[in-house]
């Protein structure tokens, strides 16, 4: 028991000392809004000293102009001498305390003989509340002290229709109550009416007074932002009955116990890590809050919850592939409860995904490139090529589901929550491919990969691999979900495998490299990481020489000021090749040009180029370079692997306070001569389901024990336990191998005549479909659905009958 207690302390207080300088970010003047910090708690978010508050899931605007609804920030209280309206504030200092999640403004006037400290923060337990606390303290003055304040809400919101202002009394305290409704729905097919929001606030006096008889005085202002009036009144009642400050501190402790990664020997890097973890985790819900929200969690946008309230700016609060491929992986390992909530969002918007696929002539579900409240496509009209061609988002979402299954081994969740999602996204890819008679494989044409500088290409290798991943996983999940997928036959799962294995694999044997897409000319500049993503996170099997050639080729042609995530992935690639100097250079490049002083706010673009503020996509990629790169942590089917863990540049220690696998929590401590794993509490009988190997030797696994190693470690689900838990033990998750000719699969060879007939017929169907779609598009009727797949099925059945005869 004492070992467990010691472990809990190690993960908690000692790892996040409240006096640690590296949590504190200071300034003597406020920066511009783009690099002003964002504060959030999963329910609400705002930019410090900003005029807007945004609520989780609350959007206004039709289709491509749907954006986070701007709610006037009645909690925007400022000291007049230090306010955002002052161009040259005097005697003012500003501090972001990431440890406590608070922003402080301090006014100290030696001549006047007083000191004022103002702090503002979103409470993480009472998560519908923004707290303002102003503390006046006498230093030497003998007179009455008056401090001017400002309550700057920025006027009425164009996004809201406000109801008449009311007075509301709770526990003897009077508030002003404003309720409103958003003006416009995102799509009337999926959203019948606008969102309701309610705000309870107080008018702040223009002057706060400290009488001559007082030495100090504190003023407290609570502002509540809710989805309903009932939730608002419950929140106010809870605030009056509880020590909300203490409960906030407990939640911050819990957050840092998970996200408190740190390094020693390099304070500058340690501050980067803390800032990245803070801004990413801030937009996520707390483990426990005072009351459950009437809204589920609606996902992470590249600029977090506190931004996106203007049309066509800062991604408008939309969710992209950034969520699943850049932010989700570190959240999954550090905070699996919130990782599950991120995936749950994708199960809320499936009606729109089904309609989207059908409207584009495909089966299954096609997820929107930009998704908000309803899940319909909300990419702005000025970016038509992105939603038309960038379809890999559908595979990205299924891949995140796959990773969650790897991390938890939770078959019950797989069968109940995401069975349909994985099956329907696999159906999408099965209908999305085109048969190529010349190669006897399936192409994916009319596509755009992660490199958004090139669209309408054929066989984007990233897209082809993520599609194959989706199809292989679809067959595996379909096998597990046979009972719940009514009317689905084994033949369809076999078709998933058949298509997946024969998706074209672009490869240049002469140079041992993967072309980015079929038409790619080597040396053509690209926007960001694309082919290099095959190594990590997709972990597509390839020769080391191919991986090295991919990395070197695309490093030379990638935009130098592109998104930060690119260099994080290059870091991991070089580490996998044991090229430590190159890895260190890419690692520094991944954050040094993207962090903005003085509060270490992430920016979208490097070299001081304009870009979205609070770009937590970059923070997510950077954290992957630490956890999955230097720490060597990887998730695979049935196991978590720690391979060749190393220290980041110029450090003496890397400490990850909590990693999660199959219900077990452990800390990873990497030093100059090896690593140590310390296991904490586990859910149920989780330890009995696992085998631990350290440096390839099996070790007895116990709660609260430490294990040291020098090269590698593995946590494996026991095979006997997997079989006992899984009534479908015959279900197999096949390796993602593609590029096979159809004729070579399973030895089922078609005759030359059959191949000619199949090729001609499928090719003719493709030509007819293209002509028909082009004609309809010329008439302004957009894309159409087709019977191509049904006709192909009938053809295959006919060929099968001939073979049987």
């Amino acid at each position: 028991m004492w070992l467990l207690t010691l472990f809990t302390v190690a993960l908690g207080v000692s790892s996040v000392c409240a006096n640690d300088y590296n949590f504190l970010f200071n300034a003597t003047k406020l920066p511009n809004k783009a690099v002003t910090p964002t504060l959030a708690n999963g329910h609400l978010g705002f930019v410090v000293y900003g005029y807007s508050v945004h609520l989780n899931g609350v959007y206004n605007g039709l289709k491509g102009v749907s954006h986070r609804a701007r709610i006037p920030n009645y909690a925007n209280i400022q000291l007049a001498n230090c306010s955002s309206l002052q161009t040259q504030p005097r005697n003012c200092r500003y501090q972001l305390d990431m440890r406590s999640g608070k922003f402080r403004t301090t006014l100290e006037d030696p001549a006047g003989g007083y000191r004022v400290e103002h702090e503002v923060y979103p409470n993480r337990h009472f998560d519908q509340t923004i707290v303002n606390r102003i503390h006046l303290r006498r230093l030497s003055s003998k007179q009455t002290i008056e401090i001017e304040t400002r309550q700057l809400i920025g006027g009425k919101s164009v996004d809201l229709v406000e109801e008449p202002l009311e007075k509301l009394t709770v526990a003897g305290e009077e508030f002003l109550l404003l309720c409103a409704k958003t003006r416009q729905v995102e799509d009337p097919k999926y959203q019948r009416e606008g969102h309701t929001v309610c705000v309870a606030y107080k008018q702040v006096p223009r002057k706060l007074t400290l009488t001559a008889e007082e030495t100090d005085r504190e003023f407290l202002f609570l502002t509540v932002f809710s989805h309903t009036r009932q939730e608002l009144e419950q929140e106010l009642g809870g605030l009056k009955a509880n020590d909300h400050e203490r409960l906030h501190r407990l939640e911050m402790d819990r957050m840092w116990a998970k996200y408190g990664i740190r390094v020693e020997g390099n304070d500058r890097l340690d501050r980067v890590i803390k800032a990245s973890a803070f801004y990413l985790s801030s937009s996520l819900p707390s483990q426990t809050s005072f009351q459950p929200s009437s809204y589920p969690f609606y996902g992470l946008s590249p600029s977090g919850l506190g931004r996106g309230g203007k049309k066509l700016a800062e991604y408008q609060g939309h969710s992209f592939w950034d969520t699943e491929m850049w932010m989700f992986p570190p959240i999954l390992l550090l905070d699996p409860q919130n990782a599950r909530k991120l995936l749950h969002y994708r199960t809320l918007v499936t009606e729109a995904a089904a309609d989207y696929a059908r409207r584009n002539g495909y089966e299954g579900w096609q997820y929107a490139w930009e998704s908000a409240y309803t899940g319909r496509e909300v990419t702005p009209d000025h970016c038509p090529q992105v939603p038309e061609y960038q379809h890999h988002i559908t595979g990205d979402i299924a891949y995140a589901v796959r990773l969650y299954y790897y991390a938890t081994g939770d078959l019950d969740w797989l069968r109940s929550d995401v069975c349909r999602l994985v099956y329907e996204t696999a159906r999408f890819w099965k209908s999305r491919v085109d048969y190529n008679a010349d190669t006897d494989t399936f192409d994916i044409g009319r596509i755009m990969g992660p490199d958004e500088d090139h669209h309408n290409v054929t066989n984007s290798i990233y897209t082809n691999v993520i599609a194959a991943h989706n199809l292989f996983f679809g067959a595996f999940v379909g096998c597990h979900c046979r009972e719940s997928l009514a009317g689905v036959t084994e033949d369809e799962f076999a078709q998933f495998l058949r298509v997946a294995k024969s998706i074209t694999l672009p490869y240049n044997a002469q140079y041992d490299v993967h072309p980015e897409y079929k038409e790619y000319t080597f040396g053509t500049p690209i926007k960001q990481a694309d082919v290099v993503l095959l190594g990590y996170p997709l972990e597509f099997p390839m020769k080391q020489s191919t991986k090295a050639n991919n990395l070197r080729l695309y490093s030379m042609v990638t935009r130098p000021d592109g998104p930060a995530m690119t260099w994080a992935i290059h870091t991991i690639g070089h580490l996998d090749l044991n090229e430590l100097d190159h890895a260190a250079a890419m690692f520094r490049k991944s954050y040094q040009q993207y962090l903005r002083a003085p509060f270490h706010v992430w920016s979208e673009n490097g070299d001081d180029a304009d870009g979205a503020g609070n770009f937590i996509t970059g923070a997510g990629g950077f954290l992957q370079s630490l956890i999955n790169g230097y720490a060597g942590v990887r998730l695979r089917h049935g196991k978590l692997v720690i391979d060749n863990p190393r220290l980041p540049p110029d450090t003496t220690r890397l400490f990850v306070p909590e990693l999660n696998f199959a219900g077990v929590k452990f800390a990873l401590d990497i030093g100059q001569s090896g690593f140590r794993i310390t296991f904490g509490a586990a859910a149920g009988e989780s330890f009995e389901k696992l085998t631990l190997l350290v440096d390839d030797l099996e070790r007895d696994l116990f709660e609260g024990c430490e294990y040291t190693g020098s090269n590698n470690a593995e946590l494996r689900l026991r095979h006997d336990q997997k079989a006992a838990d899984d009534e479908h033990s015959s279900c197999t998750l096949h390796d993602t191998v593609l590029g096979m000719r159809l004729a070579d699969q399973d030895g089922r060879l078609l005759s030359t005549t059959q191949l000619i007939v199949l090729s001609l017929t499928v090719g003719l169907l493709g030509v007819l479909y293209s002509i028909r779609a082009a004609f309809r598009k010329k008439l302004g009727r957009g894309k159409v659905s087709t019977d191509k797949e049904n006709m192909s099925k009938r053809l295959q059945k006919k060929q099968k009958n001939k073979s049987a005869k």
Side-chain angles (χ1 to χ4, degrees), residues 432-734:
R432 181 66 179 80
V433 300
D434 300 308
Y435 178 68
N436 185 329
D438 293 334
T439 61
D440 192 28
T441 59
F442 292 106
D443 292 340
I444 301 179
R446 309 172 305 283
I447 207 74
M448 175 194 288
D451 170 21
E452 294 174 334
D453 286 350
H454 301 97
H455 67 277
N456 196 12
V457 303
T458 304
N459 292 330
S460 150
I461 190 168
Y462 176 89
T463 304
N464 285 17
V465 170
I466 203 75
H469 270 321
N470 198 162
L471 286 159
F472 280 115
F473 194 52
F476 173 73
V477 173
C479 178
H480 282 290
C481 298
R482 284 173 289 197
E483 291 81 0
S484 60
L485 294 173
V488 179
T489 66
E490 298 289 339
D491 288 343
E492 184 158 18
F493 305 141
Q495 280 296 314
F496 289 170
L497 295 175
R498 190 166 179 78
V499 171
K501 291 175 184 177
S502 291
I503 290 178
T504 301
L505 179 67
Y507 175 68
N508 185 308
Q510 180 181 358
Y511 298 106
D512 187 22
V513 70
H514 290 295
E516 186 180 290
Y517 48 88
K518 178 182 177 181
E519 304 88 347
Y520 183 75
T521 301
F522 293 117
T524 302
I526 66 172
K527 177 184 176 181
Q528 62 184 36
D530 191 310
V531 178
V532 295
L533 293 166
L534 269 60
Y536 173 88
L538 299 191
E539 299 218 303
F540 179 67
M542 69 182 85
K543 295 182 296 184
Q544 288 291 90
S545 61
T546 310
K547 185 183 294 186
N549 290 336
N550 286 342
L551 195 57
R552 293 188 181 100
L553 170 67
Y554 294 104
S555 291
M556 293 186 292
V557 297
T558 303
R559 282 194 210 168
D561 63 344
M565 311 88 67
T566 287
W567 315 118
I569 294 301
H570 283 232
T571 300
I572 297 172
H574 285 298
L575 288 170
D576 285 350
L577 295 169
N578 205 33
E579 298 173 346
L580 301 188
D581 289 342
H582 288 304
M586 291 295 102
F587 182 64
R588 295 186 184 98
K589 189 174 183 178
S590 74
Y591 67 86
Q592 286 181 352
Q593 61 175 327
Y594 298 93
L595 288 179
R596 300 291 186 261
F599 301 112
H600 275 40
V601 174
W602 277 86
S603 181
E604 179 180 17
N605 295 325
D607 295 334
D608 292 322
D610 292 336
N614 194 46
F615 190 60
I616 56 175
T617 303
F622 169 77
L623 291 175
Q624 288 187 62
S625 71
L626 280 169
I627 300 168
N628 307 107
Y630 282 102
V633 180
R634 303 291 172 88
L635 287 168
R636 291 167 189 152
H637 189 208
K639 60 186 176 182
L640 179 145
V641 176
I642 302 171
D643 187 26
N644 198 12
R646 286 165 286 207
L647 290 172
D650 307 316
T651 63
T652 58
R653 183 188 184 197
L654 169 60
F655 180 67
V656 185
E658 181 176 310
L659 291 165
N660 292 266
F661 178 71
V664 169
K665 303 176 189 292
F666 64 95
L668 175 61
D669 200 345
I670 302 169
Q672 294 175 313
S673 59
F675 64 90
R676 180 171 69 250
I677 301 174
T678 307
F679 285 90
E685 301 176 349
S686 297
F687 279 108
E688 298 176 8
K689 298 180 181 180
L690 296 176
T691 298
L692 172 66
L693 284 80
V694 179
D695 290 340
D696 302 317
L697 297 175
E698 186 171 342
R699 307 285 297 274
D700 292 330
L701 181 58
F702 298 104
E703 181 177 332
C705 286
E706 293 184 352
Y707 305 84
T708 59
S710 57
N711 296 315
N712 57 70
E714 277 190 22
L715 274 172
R716 295 179 183 172
L717 285 171
R718 295 181 184 273
H719 291 295
D720 55 342
Q721 187 63 50
K722 286 173 67 178
D725 288 348
D726 184 12
E727 62 198 56
H728 299 286
S729 55
S730 61
C731 298
T732 301
L733 178 55
H734 294 270

Side-chain angles (χ1 to χ4, degrees), residues 297 299-300 323 328 331 338-346:
F297 188 59
L300 284 177
T323 305
F328 179 84
I331 294 169
N338 276 324
R340 183 165 178 164
K341 290 178 181 177
L342 290 175
L343 294 177
H344 180 64
Y345 163 64
R346 298 297 189 176

Side-chain angles (χ1 to χ4, degrees), residues 318-372:
H318 299 168
S319 290
F320 299 69
W321 78 310
D322 301 51
T323 305
E324 281 76 20
M325 300 307 291
W326 298 109
M327 296 182 252
F328 179 84
I331 294 169
L332 173 60
L333 287 166
L334 304 176
D335 188 6
Q337 286 180 318
N338 276 324
R340 183 165 178 164
K341 290 178 181 177
L342 290 175
L343 294 177
H344 180 64
Y345 163 64
R346 298 297 189 176
T347 69
L348 300 174
V349 295
T350 56
E351 182 185 359
D355 288 347
Y356 199 29
R358 187 163 50 249
R359 189 163 60 249
N360 290 331
Y362 306 124
E363 297 180 0
W365 294 349
Q366 179 185 356
Y367 280 92
W369 177 247
E370 295 190 31
S371 178

